[in-house]
Amino acid sequence: MSGGIYYWQLPNRHKAIVKSYVFEKLGIVNPNWKVDNRQQTYKMISPEFYIDNIYKSMEGPKASNYVQLTQDSAVVWLTGFQVRALDAKSLKTISKDFICHTNIDFNDVKYYSSFHLEKRIGTQFPRLTSLSHGLESFSFPKGYGVPMKGNELLYVTTESLNHNLPDANFWIRHEVDIKYSKEPDLKPLMSRTAFIMLPYDKWDPYKEPTDPGTNQCIPVETKNHSYDDGKGNKLSGHWVIPTGKNTYRSSINEQLQLQDSLRLHAAAIHVHPFATQITLYDKTAQKAIFTSKIINHKGKIGLTRIAPFASEEGIWLYKNHDYEIVLDVNNTTATPQDMMGSMFLFFYDKELDAILRKN
C-alpha cells in the first residue's frame, strides 16, 4: 500500500521510469535495440514504449543506446538525422505525435582529444544535436558534416510523447537513423547549443503573476533545466506560459563563446507546442540572422513543422556583437503550458579543418 501511494504521488515522468523498469524486469519489454548499419545509414529501433497516459515534453517513456558507426578509427562524417514513430508489432510508421526528444550526445574528452583539441573539453554540454516533435529530421547543407572517428561512441536517447490521447493503451517504438559519409573532402562543423534562460524568484519560484517588465518566468520545476547566472540569481530554461500571445528573449553571448568570427551553416530548433516562431537576433546590427517559422496542429496540441536553417554560403556571427534568441508564442488554450526555446547551431570549424587537411 505504501508503494502504491508513493507511486501515485509521482509526476508523470517518474511514473514512466518506474513502469519501464518493471516491464523490463518482468520480461514484458525486451530492453535490446534492433540495429542495422548498411549503406552509410546507422538504423536502430528502440525497445517498446507503453503509452497509457498524457505525456508532455520530457515526461514519456524513453530508452538510451550507445552507437558505434564503424569498427576502425578512420574519420567519418555525420550528415543527417531522422526519427520515426512505429507500431510496436508491425513496425509500420505511425503519427509523429508520439515523438518527444531524440538526443545525440558525444564524449567530449575522447572526441576533442582525438583531434588534439583538448582546450575545448568541458567548455560546452556534450550534446551534438537533438531531434524533437515538429523537427523529426534534418541534414547539413551539401559539402558539410560533423567529423568523428568511426569507432568512437555516440549516446542516443529517444523519448515518447502523447499530448492528445488521455485514454491511450498501446505500445510504440522509435526508429532512429544516423546518416554518415566516408568521403574525405567535406568541411567540418562544430556544434554550439543556445537556449532561452529566464530569471525566476528563487525564494518563491511559483509565485504568479510575474512582473512583465522584469522578463521573469515561472519555472516548470526547479530541479531540471535550472541554472545560476554567476551572481546568485536563478534562471530556468523550461518555463510556463500563460494564455495568449507573448514574446520571450534572452542573451546567448555566454553560450556562443565567440572567440573569433564564425560562419553559421545550419541550425536545428527545439520548441514546444504553442510556439509560433523563433529568431536568432543580432542586437548590435539590429537584424535577424534567421527566423524559424513554426506551424502548430489545428484542433489538437502538437507541432506540424519547425523550419530548420541550412546554408551552404553561411552567415557570419561576430565576436564583438551581442546575440539573443527571441521566441514568440500563442497559447490558444485556457490553461498554462510549458515552453522551451533552443537552437543547436553548427559553425564552420576552421581550426579542425586545418588539422584534418594536415593529417
Side-chain angles (χ1 to χ4, degrees):
M1 289 178 63
S2 297
I5 293 172
Y6 173 76
Y7 172 81
W8 288 113
Q9 290 178 338
L10 292 174
N12 267 359
R13 178 188 304 177
H14 297 140
K15 285 182 180 177
I17 293 172
V18 171
K19 281 184 284 190
S20 297
Y21 176 81
V22 171
F23 291 151
E24 179 181 331
K25 292 301 179 183
L26 292 177
I28 297 174
V29 169
N30 184 344
N32 297 318
W33 292 64
K34 297 181 179 181
V35 173
D36 181 20
N37 189 8
R38 291 178 293 180
Q39 298 179 346
Q40 297 186 20
T41 297
Y42 191 102
K43 290 180 174 288
M44 52 186 179
I45 297 177
S46 74
E48 300 96 327
F49 299 139
Y50 182 43
I51 308 300
D52 65 333
N53 201 347
I54 293 294
Y55 291 114
K56 300 179 75 172
S57 183
M58 297 179 291
E59 291 184 350
K62 60 184 177 181
S64 301
N65 192 35
Y66 284 101
V67 172
Q68 190 176 50
L69 298 177
T70 67
Q71 299 300 310
D72 59 67
S73 61
V75 172
V76 299
W77 298 80
L78 303 177
T79 58
F81 310 90
Q82 180 175 339
V83 59
R84 295 189 300 138
L86 308 177
D87 176 82
K89 291 184 178 180
S90 69
L91 300 184
K92 292 183 178 179
T93 302
I94 59 175
S95 172
K96 64 182 185 179
D97 288 355
F98 303 115
I99 298 171
C100 184
H101 292 75
T102 299
N103 297 327
I104 296 95
D105 299 336
F106 65 101
N107 185 319
D108 66 336
V109 176
K110 289 187 176 181
Y111 181 84
Y112 291 127
S113 296
S114 67
F115 293 123
H116 307 292
L117 293 169
E118 288 84 359
K119 62 185 179 181
R120 298 187 186 182
I121 294 172
T123 58
Q124 287 231 334
F125 185 78
R127 175 151 297 158
L128 176 64
T129 192
S130 182
L131 302 170
S132 60
H133 185 38
L135 185 71
E136 295 81 15
S137 67
F138 81 94
S139 298
F140 298 126
K142 183 179 179 181
Y144 291 87
V146 174
M148 66 177 293
K149 300 292 180 68
N151 60 358
E152 290 185 0
L153 295 175
L154 295 171
Y155 188 62
V156 177
T157 299
T158 189
E159 186 170 15
S160 54
L161 182 75
N162 176 29
H163 278 299
N164 299 294
L165 302 176
D167 299 321
N169 181 24
F170 53 88
W171 297 80
I172 69 167
R173 295 174 183 258
H174 286 172
E175 180 187 89
V176 180
D177 294 356
I178 300 176
K179 299 178 182 179
Y180 63 97
S181 172
K182 295 183 178 180
E183 297 295 327
D185 57 349
L186 300 185
K187 295 180 180 179
L189 297 171
M190 71 171 85
S191 176
R192 298 279 173 88
T193 303
F195 52 94
I196 291 179
M197 294 188 295
L198 301 175
Y200 65 88
D201 186 343
K202 63 181 178 180
W203 305 113
D204 193 1
Y206 304 113
K207 178 183 178 181
E208 54 182 334
T210 58
D211 181 359
T214 62
N215 197 35
Q216 285 194 332
C217 75
I218 297 173
V220 172
E221 58 176 305
T222 58
K223 293 181 180 179
N224 295 301
H225 302 285
S226 187
Y227 311 92
D228 191 292
D229 69 352
K231 302 176 183 178
N233 302 310
K234 289 295 184 180
L235 306 170
S236 179
H238 188 196
W239 69 97
V240 174
I241 62 171
T243 296
K245 295 182 179 181
N246 284 281
T247 298
Y248 302 92
R249 63 202 311 147
S250 72
S251 171
I252 57 170
N253 292 334
E254 292 187 8
Q255 297 168 1
L256 291 178
Q257 299 178 9
L258 294 181
Q259 303 300 317
D260 197 356
S261 300
L262 291 176
R263 197 169 70 232
L264 179 69
H265 287 277
I269 309 298
H270 170 65
V271 295
H272 290 185
F274 307 107
T276 56
Q277 69 176 27
I278 187 168
T279 300
L280 176 61
Y281 190 75
D282 184 335
K283 291 182 65 178
T284 303
Q286 296 186 356
K287 67 177 184 179
I289 303 298
F290 73 86
T291 295
S292 172
K293 299 293 185 180
I294 301 159
I295 301 174
N296 282 258
H297 291 342
K298 293 182 179 180
K300 62 178 182 177
I301 297 175
L303 296 171
T304 304
R305 184 176 185 270
I306 301 171
F309 168 79
S311 168
E312 290 185 41
E313 180 182 358
I315 300 176
W316 284 99
L317 273 66
Y318 303 101
K319 176 184 176 181
N320 60 345
H321 283 210
D322 290 327
Y323 297 96
E324 64 180 0
I325 292 177
V326 183
L327 175 68
D328 295 322
V329 307
N330 183 16
N331 179 3
T332 55
T333 71
T335 59
Q337 302 290 339
D338 61 296
M339 184 56 62
M340 298 182 80
S342 306
M343 295 181 175
F344 298 90
L345 303 169
F346 294 90
F347 297 92
Y348 167 62
D349 194 334
K350 180 180 179 180
E351 183 179 17
L352 180 52
D353 198 5
I355 293 172
L356 292 171
R357 293 184 183 281
K358 180 180 179 181
N359 290 339

